[in-house]
């Protein structure tokens, strides 16, 4: 089976596909493409494929070639299993073609679901109408991607700064770990633990420099001259070891208690979740008319104290009903969640303090060892403790200064990210506004006006035509906000459903060609449009409307198996091209 198509630029493409059983896979399509029809016989054939992975974007994928031939730049739209997927041709052509077998079963076009596109009908109609809403959706996805990038960069910089501070047993104070706007931005402060409290690193660097200056001014004494002072410093170092060790043990106990609290809160949260789900199931059963007691769905125990509820009375004589109990459980869940977050923050603080105290303990133990070695060694050699202290102070000052320089660079980087975050948030707010542009409103208004006029002209009887409209958000026909379907309870007859489907397809075309960014294929293929024995007068009006569409540049293909005499009555005074067919069917088996 072969088909020749042409685009608006006058180029022609001939496509040939084989039916099942010819020995060639139906996924193969032979193509010939030329600048004009008479050149098709002189160009080389190119074989392509469909219904195979890559058909929409690979070089030899036919759907990629067809989209390019039509001049369509298919956008990326939100998907179910991926962040974005392409708006495939299979999602667009149901707006141009209605097949007989199941295409007339509803007002809205039957859209493929295997493509994994969210709101596939809406996205397709937006594209065909050339609405800016689809561009806004694409822009929104791009801005969200930029938002995620800012978050990742902020988190990465925060992690680097935190790791650098941790390596020096410092902490980053007054720093936001997630992006904030410039109005909420606070410059971070690096703190180091000195004795029992955290002090700014800049302040501690001043103390270290003063100590180093004093040591350098007096010079390094001999071990003998430093004996008395060494004994005093050794005593102080040993006292510090004991005190810091005691504080470490206390923090370890507090950490164990904190972990126990976190485990208990996690267990309580899980039990509250189970109890809430059980009570919610009970409420659902009761709303359905069940008279079963609570014991059939949950344990008859108090969710707070765990005691049995059988035969018990409340102090007030008033027991909470099911909804009140669920509300109380919800409130307790929030309390437990907040307590768990607080426990986690406390545990993190304790671990930071423990790390700093561990470093202080190691320093005190190192100093005590140096002083003991000095007191036990020769008297004439330089004081080992003073030399070690000088080296330690010089190293601490140098490393601390590098950390402060890194924090300064990080602050500048966070300021830059903060400004970018503000810009991204402002753009997101504009894109999420949800209001249609004036141009989009005009296009949808034309579609709605055309739709209402057509259903009136086709003789819709189930509901007043003025009650029907095109929903701006879903872009489908609705009656009082409800999608139109064949529903006797709503008074929509099967024949009226067919009339509304005629009107929907034609109003979509008429609105699209009036749009400055029209992407309609200018093709309407209707296979047996007279369904449900629709009145011939309505059908004649519809055919005359199709003639107007053809005059506007739409290629209308109307397939029917109706008796030719009945058809001629409908086509009276309508310009048509009748395809030759012998007998009642266009296709007939080949007879040997």
């Amino acid at each position: 089976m072969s088909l020749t198509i042409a685009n608006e630029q006058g180029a022609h493409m001939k496509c040939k596909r084989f039916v099942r059983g010819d020995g060639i896979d139906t996924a193969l399509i032979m193509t010939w493409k030329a600048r004009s029809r008479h050149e098709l016989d002189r160009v080389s054939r190119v074989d392509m494929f469909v219904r195979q992975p890559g058909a929409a974007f690979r070089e030899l994928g036919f759907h990629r070639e067809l989209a390019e031939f039509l001049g369509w730049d298919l956008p990326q739209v939100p998907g179910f299993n991926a962040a974005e997927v392409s708006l495939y041709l299979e999602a667009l052509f149901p707006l141009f073609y209605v097949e007989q077998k199941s295409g007339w079963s509803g007002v809205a076009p039957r859209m493929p679901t295997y493509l994994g596109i969210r709101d596939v009908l809406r996205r397709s109609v937006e594209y065909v109408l050339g609405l800016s809403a689809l561009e806004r959706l694409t822009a929104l996805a791009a801005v969200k991607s930029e938002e995620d990038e800012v978050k990742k960069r902020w988190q990465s910089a925060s992690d680097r700064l935190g790791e650098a501070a941790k390596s020096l047993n410092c902490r980053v104070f007054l720093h936001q770990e997630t992006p904030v706007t410039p109005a909420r931005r606070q410059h971070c402060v690096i703190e180091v633990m000195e004795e029992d409290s955290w002090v700014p690193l800049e302040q501690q660097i001043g103390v270290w420099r003063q100590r180093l200056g004093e040591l350098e001014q007096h010079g390094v004494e001999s071990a003998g001259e430093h004996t008395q002072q060494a004994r005093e410093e050794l005593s102080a170092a040993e006292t510090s070891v004991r005190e810091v060790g005691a504080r470490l043990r206390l923090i370890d106990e507090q950490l164990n208690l904190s972990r126990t609290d976190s485990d208990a809160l996690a267990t309580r949260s899980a039990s509250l979740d189970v109890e809430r789900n059980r009570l919610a199931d009970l409420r659902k059963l009761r709303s359905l008319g069940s008279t079963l007691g609570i014991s059939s769905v949950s344990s008859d125990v108090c969710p707070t104290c765990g005691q049995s509820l059988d035969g018990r009375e409340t102090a007030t004589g008033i027991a909470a009903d099911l909804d009140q109990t669920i509300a109380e459980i919800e409130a307790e869940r929030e309390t437990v969640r907040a307590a768990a977050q607080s426990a986690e923050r406390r545990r993190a603080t304790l671990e930071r303090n423990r790390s700093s105290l561990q470093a202080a303990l190691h320093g005190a133990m190192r100093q005590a060892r140096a002083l003991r070695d000095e007191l036990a060694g020769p008297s004439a050699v330089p004081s080992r403790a003073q030399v070690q202290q000088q080296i330690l102070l010089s190293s601490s000052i140098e490393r601390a200064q590098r950390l402060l320089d890194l924090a300064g660079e990080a602050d500048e980087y966070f300021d830059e990210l903060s400004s970018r975050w503000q810009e991204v948030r402002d753009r997101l707010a504009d894109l999420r506004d949800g209001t249609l542009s004036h141009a989009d409103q005009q296009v949808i208004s034309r579609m709605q006006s055309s739709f209402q006029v057509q259903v009136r002209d086709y003789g819709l009887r189930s509901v007043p035509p003025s009650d029907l409209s095109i929903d701006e958000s879903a872009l489908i026909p609705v009656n009082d906000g409800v999608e139109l379907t064949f529903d006797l309870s709503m008074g929509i007859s099967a024949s009226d459903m067919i009339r509304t489907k005629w009107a929907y397809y034609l109003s979509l075309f008429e609105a699209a060609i009036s749009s400055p960014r029209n992407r309609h294929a200018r093709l309407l293929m209707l296979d047996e449009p007279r369904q449900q024995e629709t009145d011939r007068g309505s059908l004649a009006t519809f055919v005359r409307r199709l003639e107007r569409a053809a005059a506007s540049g739409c290629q209308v293909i109307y397939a029917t198996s109706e008796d030719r005499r009945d058809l001629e009555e409908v086509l009276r005074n309508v310009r048509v091209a009748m395809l030759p067919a012998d007998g009642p069917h266009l296709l007939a088996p080949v007879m040997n």
Side-chain angles (χ1 to χ4, degrees), residues 8 123 149 171 176 199 226-227 328 337 437 473 553:
E8 292 182 340
R123 300 284 89 90
E149 181 189 356
R171 72 173 184 180
Q176 297 94 341
V199 297
H226 190 251
T227 299
E328 289 172 1
R337 188 177 296 112
S437 67
S473 60

Side-chain angles (χ1 to χ4, degrees), residues 64-296:
R64 179 208 59 79
E65 177 67 24
L66 181 58
E68 184 178 313
F69 185 79
L70 294 172
W72 286 348
D73 183 15
L74 299 180
Q76 297 293 111
V77 293
F80 287 105
N81 300 322
E84 288 185 332
V85 296
S86 176
L87 186 62
Y88 298 102
L89 289 179
E90 294 101 315
L92 295 174
F93 270 80
L95 301 178
F96 316 134
Y97 169 55
V98 186
E99 51 87 22
Q100 178 188 2
K101 184 176 180 181
S102 55
W104 298 100
S105 58
V107 177
R110 290 173 57 84
M111 306 300 289
T113 58
Y114 66 90
L115 301 173
I117 300 174
R118 290 182 182 272
D119 301 322
V120 57
L121 175 59
R122 178 183 175 185
R123 300 284 89 90
S124 300
V125 174
E126 287 173 344
Y127 181 77
V128 169
L129 292 176
L131 300 184
S132 62
L134 190 56
E135 295 178 357
R136 176 182 293 187
L137 185 69
T138 304
L140 182 62
V143 176
K144 284 183 176 179
S145 177
E146 189 175 350
E147 180 186 39
D148 292 337
E149 181 189 356
V150 174
K151 287 181 180 178
K152 290 178 181 177
R153 290 191 176 187
W154 188 290
Q155 188 62 52
S156 177
S158 296
D159 292 342
R160 288 197 304 270
L161 182 59
E163 288 298 322
K166 186 178 180 180
S167 66
L168 293 180
N169 299 304
C170 299
R171 72 173 184 180
V172 184
F173 186 60
L174 294 178
H175 169 62
Q176 297 94 341
E177 295 184 356
T178 55
V180 294
T181 57
R184 298 178 54 200
R185 173 85 175 90
Q186 289 182 311
H187 283 220
C188 58
V189 177
I190 306 297
E191 293 186 332
V192 63
M193 179 167 281
E194 181 64 17
E195 295 182 355
D196 294 339
S197 60
W198 291 94
V199 297
L201 185 57
E202 290 181 343
Q203 175 183 327
Q204 190 59 32
I205 287 178
V207 174
W208 289 338
R209 282 177 175 159
Q210 182 179 356
R211 291 179 186 171
L212 181 60
E214 292 174 354
L215 287 173
E216 291 175 345
Q217 181 180 1
H218 294 94
V220 178
E221 299 175 331
S222 65
E225 294 173 338
H226 190 251
T227 299
Q228 184 59 35
Q229 186 177 351
R231 290 194 180 112
E232 294 174 358
E233 290 176 356
L234 176 59
S235 176
E238 290 174 342
T239 300
S240 178
V241 168
R242 289 192 296 271
E243 291 176 351
V244 173
R247 290 168 60 191
L248 269 174
R249 288 191 293 274
L250 178 60
I251 284 185
D252 286 337
E253 292 176 3
Q254 293 173 337
L255 273 172
N256 288 333
L257 290 175
S258 179
R259 295 188 186 102
T260 302
D261 290 343
S262 296
D263 292 343
L265 289 169
T267 302
R268 182 61 184 150
S269 178
S271 66
L272 286 172
D273 289 342
V274 171
E275 188 65 23
R276 178 192 174 280
N277 292 337
R278 287 173 175 171
L279 292 176
D281 289 344
L282 174 61
R283 181 170 59 183
K284 183 182 299 183
L285 288 175
R286 287 185 175 175
S287 69
L288 296 174
S290 173
T291 58
L292 295 177
I294 193 172
S295 59
S296 64

